[in-house]
Amino acid sequence: MRRQLAPTILTAAAVAGVVTFSLVASAPAGNAAARPSSAYAVSAEGQVPIAKTPYAESLDGKRQTTSALELPKNPLISVRAGTATAGNDSASVELFDIVVGPDILSQVQIPPELKQQCASLPKTGADDLPLPDIALPDLGLPLPQLSTKDLPVKNLPDLCNLLLNPPSSLLAIDSLNVYCSGDSGGVDLGAVTLLGQTLKLPSTKQGASLPSNPLAAISVNSQGKHSDGSFTITGLSINLGGGAEVINLASATCAKPATKPKPKPTPKPANPAPPQLDTPPAAPVPTPVKTHQAVTG
């Protein structure tokens, strides 16, 4: 019988090997109201909600920048530093050291029967041993419940190594930068590890994709134009538990600020005064002319 999804975060961690990386264009959001340029580093919706942090918004086109060294305390995600900037028809986000599901597998108590199997692995032929189907505990985060067969491992030695030497996180990202200007933008993504294994990601250009799966999905470089002419680009969207938790990382929206109204012209008076005539210049003083008259007797 297929297990039903339950709100637990171990699943997200365990699903690591089958997480989807895809580059898709989001559908245009219908919003006729004008919006300002804005940007935020992290937000989450679901059982563990996180408000847009840090968040920057430019209402008048002037450059606004907000930074945060840590997120509000939560069991789902941590960030070492994030900066969001918004300005005149431009926006950008810088994120560093992003960790999703910190120390998630270190909380798992290995069942005694599995621990015994791991301790007695033969030196040869262990790769052919079947994986045991043992239920894993609920860690209280919004992910489907898993068993050991759901973990992204190929054989019993891999499973023993994963549980006995757990990685420090479900998903770790060195850096993530997103920027937009007008109606275009781009994504710069650093090294990404999933349960301690480095992932070879596709190009971060919009349109590339990897095979999907129903448990968890990660979209890279999602873009969308809005009906008011603004443009939004989101670096990473992480969907856990079939929508039970959605995390958005590094989102920038570019929109031209509202134009300032033109100054009203000065009204003309109703009865304008007649134009003043210039005073004519004074006539020049005549210059006397000396003459000689003949003398008669």
Side-chain angles (χ1 to χ4, degrees):
M1 180 180 295
R2 184 178 178 84
R3 290 183 300 279
Q4 294 182 347
L5 297 183
T8 96
I9 190 150
L10 173 58
T11 337
V15 219
V18 286
V19 176
T20 302
F21 282 80
S22 62
L23 298 145
V24 282
S26 60
N31 183 359
R35 73 193 76 204
S37 292
S38 62
Y40 65 86
V42 178
S43 75
E45 297 179 354
Q47 186 173 336
V48 184
I50 300 174
K52 296 176 180 179
T53 307
Y55 177 77
E57 184 178 79
S58 175
L59 297 173
D60 55 4
K62 294 181 180 179
R63 182 184 176 90
Q64 303 291 337
T65 298
T66 306
S67 298
L69 297 179
E70 60 183 11
L71 298 177
K73 188 176 181 180
N74 70 90
L76 184 61
I77 184 171
S78 66
V79 173
R80 180 172 65 86
T83 300
T85 301
N88 187 8
D89 201 15
S90 65
S92 63
V93 181
E94 293 182 341
L95 269 174
F96 299 97
D97 293 345
I98 308 140
V99 174
V100 178
D103 298 320
I104 189 172
L105 288 185
S106 64
Q107 305 175 46
V108 175
Q109 297 294 324
I110 302 178
E113 60 269 35
L114 177 57
K115 187 176 293 187
Q116 183 177 0
Q117 280 185 286
C118 292
S120 58
L121 286 176
K123 294 182 178 180
T124 60
D127 291 352
D128 298 327
L129 294 176
L131 289 172
D133 190 3
I134 302 174
L136 293 173
D138 182 353
L139 299 183
L141 289 178
L143 295 166
Q145 181 159 1
L146 296 181
S147 81
T148 51
K149 281 196 172 184
D150 295 313
L151 293 172
V153 293
K154 297 179 180 179
N155 50 47
L156 182 58
D158 284 350
L159 175 63
C160 293
N161 183 61
L162 181 63
L163 295 179
L164 294 175
N165 303 287
S168 59
S169 65
L170 162 65
L171 182 70
I173 305 166
D174 284 350
S175 63
L176 176 60
N177 298 330
V178 169
Y179 55 90
C180 67
S181 179
D183 59 356
S184 63
V187 175
D188 294 327
L189 185 61
V192 177
T193 58
L194 199 57
L195 285 182
Q197 301 297 314
T198 301
L199 295 178
K200 293 183 178 180
L201 297 178
S203 168
T204 53
K205 292 182 179 179
Q206 185 183 10
S209 64
L210 286 180
S212 61
N213 70 87
L215 295 179
I218 298 179
S219 299
V220 185
N221 193 355
S222 298
Q223 300 183 13
K225 293 183 179 179
H226 306 277
S227 58
D228 63 358
S230 59
F231 170 82
T232 296
I233 178 170
T234 301
L236 289 177
S237 292
I238 306 170
N239 187 324
L240 303 177
E245 185 80 19
V246 177
I247 305 169
N248 288 320
L249 300 176
S251 183
T253 295
C254 284
K256 294 181 179 179
T259 56
K260 296 180 180 180
K262 296 181 179 180
K264 295 181 180 180
T266 304
K268 296 181 179 180
N271 297 313
Q276 298 292 327
L277 298 177
D278 294 337
T279 304
V285 178
T287 302
V289 178
K290 294 181 179 181
T291 60
H292 298 280
Q293 299 291 331
V295 179
T296 57

